[in-house]
Amino acid sequence: MGFFPDIGRHEQRVIKLRTVGDFSGPASQDRASRSPHERNCKDPSPRNSVTIDTQRKPSSTPLISRRGSVDSIDLRDSAFILALESAKAHFEPHTMKIEDSTSMSLSDLRQASMPNLNSLPKIRGNVESSRGFLSPVDSSTAPITLGKASSRTSISATYNSSDRALKPSTSTPYAEDNVLRVAASLGVVTKEGLSSPFKMSGDLKTALGSNRGGINSKASTASQQYLSTQGVQLSALIRFADTVSHTYTVSDVINKLIKPQTASSKSRYIDMIQGKKDSPGYYVVYSRSMNFHALVETLRLYLDMNKHLHEEQYVWIDVFCVNQHVAELVPQEIDSVADVIHSTSKVLFVLDEAGEALKRTWVLFELWQAHLSSRKQDKLVVLPAAWSWEGSVHAFVSMDVSSSRAVKALERTVLMDRLQKQVDLPQATEIIKNALVTGAKLEMFRTERLSNLSVHRYIDAATTYAMMLYHQQDYAEAEEVLGAIKTAMEKTRNRELIDQVEPYNLLHLSQIFHEKGQILEEQRVLTQLSAFLFESEKRVFLEGTSKLVTVLLKLKLYTKAELLCRKLQARRIDIYGGKQNVGIVTNMLQLSQISMAQGLYDEAEDCASDALTLSVNIEGVSSLNVASCHHALASCFYARRQPEQAVVHLNKALNIRRLILGDDHPLTLELLAMEATALINEQQLNEAAQKLANIRDLRLATYGREHHETLKTVGALVDLYCQLQRNEEAEEGEALLLETGKLLLRRNRIDKFLSLQFVAMYLAGREDLIEKAAPYLAKAYVTFKEKLGLEADMTVSTKKKLENIVDRERVMAFDLLEEGQLYQRQEALEMAEMMFKQCWSFAKLVHPEADHKDLAQGLSDALFSQGKSQEAMTVLRSAGLAKKGMSENMPASYLRWLNKRVEKYMDKGSAGNKQGA
């Protein structure tokens, strides 16, 4: 198994080796050339030896003598290496013994057999080594088993010389690191491979990779293993991106470019790149489903804003640094990935527009490692690849490590096992979410301190932090951050910067107002944005105008909405030169919705059908826009009472959204809710109840009970249970609504006002819950008035509902009063008293300027009928319906000052009236 040259003399030789600490030079050094420390070291005992049989003809038998068909080597202590052309063998220096051998020193052997080391050829794949070994002569097909025994570690590997493959069974980082160091001392590998302190099995395989088919001019044999610990220059990554189609995803790049170009060498692409490689400063985390150019451009913008030269920055990106030809990943390589993450200064998480990265097991594992590797939590940097926030919200909210996906099942199993050993999976999910938000926050603080050098960098980081707050449903704080961005822009007085940043700031504000339910504020912001529709071709103005059309539709301003939508459609055609564009599909669907809202079902169906045809021509039959077209058509057919055709389109839309978005996505649940409504209309109440219960469970699990869509589903289910007379389940739902409403009132968070409003409106619409609804609605009205103002939409709508409740309670109270007085029913009188008090209180809250004398008179009548004359007179006097006595008109401080004898004579008439009453 020789790495020694063919030797002409026939004799037995035993090579004695030194420990790692004593071994500082090549094996050919004699004792005189060693350092004083090495010269004082004792040679190992004669029993610790390797027997090499050289009594053979050249190219006939391997150098290691054989016992049967298997040669064995006992290995202990620090790891050393024997190298063949295509095999790696781990062993330890103190014991390597093969029977029937004689001994001679290593230096004598090297001097006798290889007097001129520099003239020897280098080992394949190690062209930079100054001390190489001759290629072996392989005449054996017998397997060689290499075993290692140690008190700390256990390593074994099997090398079969027939197929030139070495298969290690287990490994440890400590032993392999020693192997690398010894291999460098022997000249088998270069010392550059020891630059990083984190050397695991991936490094060993990289340094000692097998060579099949000779030397590749661009890639060494070492690169055939899985992982490289070196990074690629950003400039090289950008140059590569220039050769890639703009429609390619990262997966397309791997399958269509990387794999074909590395097919012959089975290597990593980084080894094919000409130029310098170095330890990476940045580790890139992303989803392979995202656009490759978007990924590279996001990285470039971030590093440019941080004033970094492309040639000086090295990034670790798995497209280049991972061998794409490796079928299965061994567990040790996962440790190597973690070590690379820990060794970098920053982890750049590129978040794609749809948030697909947050569903991948590999991505979540990398984010978890980034969280572990930084005590200050400032290592993780979030880089959004798109300016729109809405697409990735659901992915963030529904993030769950336990349900994440991976391409290779074995890798997912190993990754999940590693995570479970460190933390509970539900806890890991929350930690990763908090790490993303915290990382964005700390990056904003860092750039804020340097904002005098680069305001644009601060604005970008602050926008990212606002986005993460938006994902976390902290809308009020996100609004504050966007306000700070606006202030920073105005301070610069840079018109170019303001024109560049302000449109996106307005769009993000509109998204926040939408989630908070502040529709008038949303309209105001979007109106400012749409004013520039015909002055710029930027997509942000088109999207903002499209959102304004939706807002006008909600406000039932149908004419304005239709006119604006048609202008937007014409503008898109002008910009894209008549080319087919998915934005036109959106506008056609909006026209269909406007017609539907006005009862023009035929016109709505025509618009939706045209949109469907255009969308299929552009994107095919299975896109989300196609699903939206089927959704619109289903709504039209349901409205026209054609359920058979509606069900066909509904099922098509449902299948597409389930396939692309999943079962728990809001758009998918919207279709399921439509299906349940159709079943209710067809009086299939039990089936509808089951579907609504499923929707409720999905929304509770994903968004929680405080989300307004969850509460809407609960309310619809309660109404259905009442129809089915399933009273216990209906009461459970009502209790959930009431408890959630009280919780929302106590917290008084503006982020949850939309949920608070729904609970108030729902209770106000239930006759059997009117007693509970009135106090709740009054508190909600006070909250909205204080936080949002009197002109806010929520305040106005809640005020109207409260006025309606006051009118209903007034009628009920007078009916009860009449019943009690006619039939002498005490219970009716007590109920009338309670309702008059509540009604009078709420009426004064809604209209404090009015006198409400009818309510005061009714309350006093109810009190007189029960014999409560004193309370009745108090009510009448407070309403101005009874004349007050002199003492009652005097200030209390003056009455206390008066002499007691004088005071008691001042209102004799009034006192006499009281006694008579």
Side-chain angles (χ1 to χ4, degrees):
M1 188 174 136
F3 60 90
F4 294 103
D6 294 336
I7 302 173
R9 295 184 299 275
H10 304 286
E11 54 188 339
Q12 294 278 348
R13 299 179 177 92
V14 173
I15 305 172
K16 298 181 179 180
L17 303 178
R18 296 177 296 276
T19 62
V20 175
D22 297 330
F23 203 108
S24 59
S28 61
Q29 286 182 326
D30 57 16
R31 188 172 182 82
S33 63
R34 299 178 194 172
S35 65
H37 171 72
E38 292 174 331
R39 289 197 296 267
N40 294 331
C41 293
K42 296 182 181 180
D43 289 331
S45 59
R47 64 181 180 84
N48 297 327
S49 59
V50 173
T51 300
I52 299 180
D53 184 3
T54 58
Q55 293 183 350
R56 60 181 179 83
K57 296 180 180 181
S59 305
S60 61
T61 59
L63 290 175
I64 295 182
S65 60
R66 180 176 304 159
R67 293 180 294 178
S69 61
V70 177
D71 293 344
S72 63
I73 303 175
D74 294 330
L75 309 166
R76 297 193 184 107
D77 299 326
S78 300
F80 271 62
I81 188 165
L82 278 173
L84 288 177
E85 173 192 17
S86 56
K88 290 81 62 179
H90 306 24
F91 67 91
E92 304 221 1
H94 282 192
T95 301
M96 277 186 48
K97 183 174 182 180
I98 298 179
E99 298 176 358
D100 301 328
S101 62
T102 57
S103 299
M104 72 178 299
S105 68
L106 175 63
S107 58
D108 292 341
L109 169 64
R110 297 297 294 271
Q111 289 176 357
S113 60
M114 295 180 287
N116 188 1
L117 294 176
N118 294 328
S119 65
L120 296 177
K122 310 297 185 289
I123 192 168
R124 293 181 183 179
N126 189 25
V127 296
E128 297 181 1
S129 175
S130 61
R131 297 181 299 277
F133 298 109
L134 288 178
S135 300
V137 179
D138 184 13
S139 62
S140 173
T141 59
I144 299 175
T145 302
L146 304 174
K148 173 172 176 148
S150 175
S151 59
R152 292 180 304 159
T153 62
S154 178
I155 302 178
S156 62
T158 301
Y159 170 74
N160 193 320
S161 56
S162 61
D163 59 4
R164 299 187 177 187
L166 182 75
K167 299 179 180 180
S169 58
T170 59
S171 183
T172 61
Y174 309 104
E176 290 178 358
D177 187 66
N178 289 335
V179 169
L180 286 176
R181 297 186 184 282
V182 175
S185 299
L186 288 169
V188 179
V189 299
T190 62
K191 292 187 177 181
E192 293 180 2
L194 301 174
S195 59
S196 173
F198 301 101
K199 292 297 175 185
M200 309 290 282
S201 59
D203 299 296
L204 178 63
K205 293 182 178 181
T206 299
L208 304 172
S210 61
N211 187 358
R212 302 180 183 181
I215 300 174
N216 190 307
S217 60
K218 293 184 180 180
S220 70
T221 57
S223 66
Q224 294 184 19
Q225 302 307 319
Y226 181 76
L227 181 69
S228 171
T229 58
Q230 293 182 321
V232 62
Q233 279 181 321
L234 179 64
S235 57
L237 182 61
I238 295 174
R239 288 195 299 270
F240 176 82
D242 292 338
T243 65
V244 176
S245 170
H246 285 269
T247 61
Y248 276 14
T249 64
V250 177
S251 296
D252 293 334
V253 170
I254 292 173
N255 296 322
K256 297 179 181 180
L257 298 177
I258 299 294
K259 285 186 176 180
Q261 294 183 32
T262 58
S264 59
S265 60
K266 304 293 182 184
S267 65
R268 304 171 300 244
Y269 193 81
I270 190 174
D271 302 292
M272 307 283 292
I273 299 175
Q274 298 294 337
K276 185 180 178 183
K277 296 100 177 175
D278 205 344
S279 298
Y282 302 94
Y283 185 100
V284 185
V285 182
Y286 60 96
S287 168
R288 292 190 175 185
S289 63
M290 74 175 301
N291 182 273
F292 183 75
H293 275 274
L295 170 65
V296 176
E297 182 65 11
T298 303
L299 296 175
R300 184 191 66 78
L301 288 175
Y302 172 76
L303 294 175
D304 284 351
M305 282 190 294
N306 284 274
K307 309 297 183 182
H308 292 321
L309 297 177
H310 297 173
E311 292 76 13
E312 297 178 356
Q313 301 305 314
Y314 294 84
V315 297
W316 197 99
I317 182 168
D318 66 348
V319 175
F320 286 3
C321 301
V322 167
N323 192 332
Q324 306 298 335
H325 301 280
V326 176
E328 293 292 346
L329 182 64
V330 297
Q332 288 79 4
E333 301 294 357
I334 294 178
D335 295 331
S336 300
V337 172
D339 290 336
V340 174
I341 293 174
H342 288 218
S343 65
T344 55
S345 59
K346 291 287 184 183
V347 174
L348 307 181
F349 174 46
V350 182
L351 179 61
D352 55 292
E353 185 173 3
E356 285 296 321
L358 298 172
K359 304 176 184 178
R360 312 303 300 180
T361 307
W362 257 116
V363 170
L364 298 180
F365 174 79
E366 290 167 323
L367 294 177
W368 172 255
Q369 293 299 326
H371 162 73
L372 293 180
S373 63
S374 177
R375 291 184 179 180
K376 297 181 179 180
Q377 302 299 310
D378 59 349
K379 187 170 187 175
L380 182 59
V381 179
V382 182
L383 302 178
W387 44 263
S388 179
W389 293 354
E390 296 171 327
S392 57
V393 170
H394 177 71
F396 181 86
V397 173
S398 61
M399 184 199 307
D400 185 8
V401 175
S402 59
S403 62
S404 59
R405 304 190 301 269
V407 176
K408 299 177 182 179
L410 178 60
E411 290 185 3
R412 184 183 185 279
T413 301
V414 176
L415 291 171
M416 298 296 287
D417 180 66
R418 296 296 171 88
L419 285 171
Q420 286 177 327
K421 290 180 179 178
Q422 297 176 344
V423 65
D424 293 335
L425 295 184
Q427 185 181 1
T429 301
E430 294 303 318
I431 290 175
I432 292 173
K433 286 183 179 181
N434 293 332
L436 291 171
V437 177
T438 303
K441 182 178 182 179
L442 294 177
E443 181 68 10
M444 182 190 70
F445 288 160
R446 184 181 70 86
T447 56
E448 186 177 16
R449 292 192 294 268
L450 304 173
S451 58
N452 58 335
L453 300 177
S454 176
V455 178
H456 199 287
R457 179 171 53 177
Y458 163 71
I459 291 174
D460 188 73
T463 303
T464 301
Y465 178 50
M467 182 196 73
M468 298 311 301
L469 291 172
Y470 175 83
H471 284 22
Q472 208 176 30
Q473 302 180 32
D474 291 334
Y475 304 124
E477 190 173 353
E479 184 181 353
E480 291 179 4
V481 174
L482 292 180
I485 293 174
K486 184 178 180 180
T487 303
M489 287 190 301
E490 293 173 349
K491 285 183 178 180
T492 62
R493 298 182 180 179
N494 185 339
R495 189 70 253 174
E496 182 180 357
L497 177 64
I498 293 175
D499 292 341
Q500 181 182 357
V501 176
E502 187 175 22
Y504 299 100
N505 192 275
L506 290 173
L507 183 67
H508 296 152
L509 272 175
S510 71
Q511 292 173 337
I512 290 174
F513 289 138
H514 174 77
E515 294 298 330
K516 290 167 62 178
Q518 297 176 256
I519 191 168
L520 296 179
E521 289 296 314
E522 183 183 4
Q523 180 191 12
R524 176 184 61 80
V525 171
L526 290 175
T527 302
Q528 294 179 9
L529 187 60
S530 63
F532 300 94
L533 176 63
F534 294 96
E535 299 179 10
S536 175
E537 297 183 357
K538 288 183 178 180
R539 183 185 163 194
V540 62
F541 296 109
L542 300 175
E543 295 298 325
T545 306
S546 180
K547 289 181 179 295
L548 180 58
V549 172
T550 303
V551 170
L552 294 174
L553 178 59
K554 289 181 179 179
L555 294 173
K556 298 181 180 182
L557 303 174
Y558 303 125
T559 303
K560 288 185 177 181
E562 183 176 356
L563 290 174
L564 184 60
C565 187
R566 294 192 182 278
K567 287 182 180 180
L568 177 59
Q569 188 174 357
R571 180 58 176 161
R572 289 186 190 272
I573 294 174
D574 292 341
I575 293 175
Y576 298 105
K579 295 181 180 179
Q580 294 178 334
N581 182 265
V582 293
I584 298 177
V585 175
T586 303
N587 297 143
M588 296 173 72
L589 289 174
Q590 287 178 327
L591 289 173
S592 176
Q593 293 171 354
I594 293 170
S595 299
M596 276 282 296
Q598 299 176 83
L600 306 174
Y601 302 131
D602 292 337
E603 185 178 339
E605 181 184 349
D606 292 340
C607 290
S609 299
D610 293 341
L612 177 60
T613 303
L614 179 59
S615 183
V616 170
N617 292 335
I618 297 174
E619 301 175 297
V621 297
S622 299
S623 68
L624 290 177
N625 283 315
V626 170
S628 298
C629 294
H630 285 300
H631 184 188
L633 286 170
S635 300
C636 292
F637 287 121
Y638 275 129
R640 295 170 61 177
R641 297 184 180 180
Q642 297 176 351
E644 294 82 7
Q645 293 174 286
V647 168
V648 172
H649 290 285
L650 180 61
N651 288 335
K652 289 181 179 179
L654 194 56
N655 291 335
I656 294 173
R657 288 183 177 175
R658 274 177 169 166
L659 179 64
I660 299 176
L661 302 175
D663 292 333
D664 60 346
H665 195 278
L667 292 178
T668 306
L669 298 178
E670 181 184 10
L671 293 175
L672 292 175
M674 174 185 281
E675 188 177 16
T677 303
L679 291 173
I680 293 173
N681 294 333
E682 296 173 5
Q683 295 302 311
Q684 300 180 25
L685 302 184
N686 289 315
E687 293 83 350
Q690 183 60 46
K691 288 188 176 297
L692 283 177
N694 294 336
I695 297 171
R696 176 202 59 192
D697 295 340
L698 287 172
R699 282 181 167 153
L700 281 171
T702 306
Y703 288 89
R705 69 174 186 171
E706 295 182 8
H707 195 269
H708 61 276
E709 291 295 339
T710 305
L711 296 173
K712 287 180 181 178
T713 306
V714 173
L717 192 57
V718 168
D719 293 339
L720 189 54
Y721 284 151
C722 290
Q723 285 185 263
L724 292 170
Q725 295 184 353
R726 295 162 63 172
N727 298 328
E728 292 184 2
E729 293 168 292
E731 289 175 1
E732 289 179 3
E734 292 172 359
L736 177 62
L737 289 173
L738 290 170
E739 290 174 6
T740 305
K742 292 177 181 178
L743 181 63
L744 293 172
L745 282 173
R746 284 198 301 269
R747 291 183 178 177
N748 200 17
R749 285 186 57 187
I750 197 171
D751 301 332
K752 300 295 183 181
F753 277 8
L754 198 58
S755 300
L756 184 62
Q757 183 192 30
F758 170 77
V759 176
M761 298 298 113
Y762 178 80
L763 295 176
R766 291 282 301 272
E767 292 289 341
D768 56 326
L769 297 176
I770 191 170
E771 296 180 11
K772 299 178 181 178
Y776 183 87
L777 209 61
K779 293 178 181 178
Y781 171 71
V782 172
T783 302
F784 294 153
K785 185 174 67 173
E786 292 177 352
K787 296 288 186 178
L788 305 177
L790 284 171
E791 303 300 325
D793 179 66
M794 285 187 183
T795 309
V796 173
S797 60
T798 306
K799 180 179 180 180
K800 290 180 179 179
K801 284 290 183 182
L802 197 54
E803 288 173 345
N804 186 27
I805 287 181
V806 169
D807 294 338
R808 287 157 57 189
E809 286 194 342
R810 177 188 286 110
V811 174
M812 295 172 62
F814 277 111
D815 290 342
L816 289 169
L817 176 61
E818 183 178 359
E819 178 185 351
Q821 289 177 339
L822 288 176
Y823 300 104
Q824 298 296 318
R825 293 182 179 176
Q826 184 68 21
E827 294 180 358
L829 293 173
E830 291 176 356
M831 182 65 68
E833 177 191 351
M834 185 272 296
M835 296 193 73
F836 273 123
K837 286 181 177 179
Q838 184 171 273
C839 190
W840 190 25
S841 175
F842 295 155
K844 289 191 292 183
L845 176 65
V846 176
H847 298 290
E849 71 284 355
D851 52 21
H852 310 292
K853 292 183 178 180
D854 58 334
L855 295 175
Q857 184 64 58
L859 178 57
S860 64
D861 290 345
L863 291 170
F864 274 124
S865 299
Q866 299 178 70
K868 301 177 181 179
S869 57
Q870 182 68 34
E871 294 182 39
M873 290 299 297
T874 303
V875 170
L876 291 174
R877 280 194 291 269
S878 63
L881 298 176
K883 186 178 180 180
K884 296 181 180 180
M886 184 183 299
S887 61
E888 292 173 341
N889 285 318
M890 288 183 178
S893 59
Y894 182 72
L895 292 176
R896 287 194 297 269
W897 176 80
L898 286 176
N899 189 287
K900 297 295 183 180
R901 293 184 178 181
V902 177
E903 181 184 359
K904 66 180 181 180
Y905 294 107
M906 293 187 69
D907 281 331
K908 290 184 177 180
S910 177
N913 292 335
K914 292 181 183 178
Q915 292 176 0

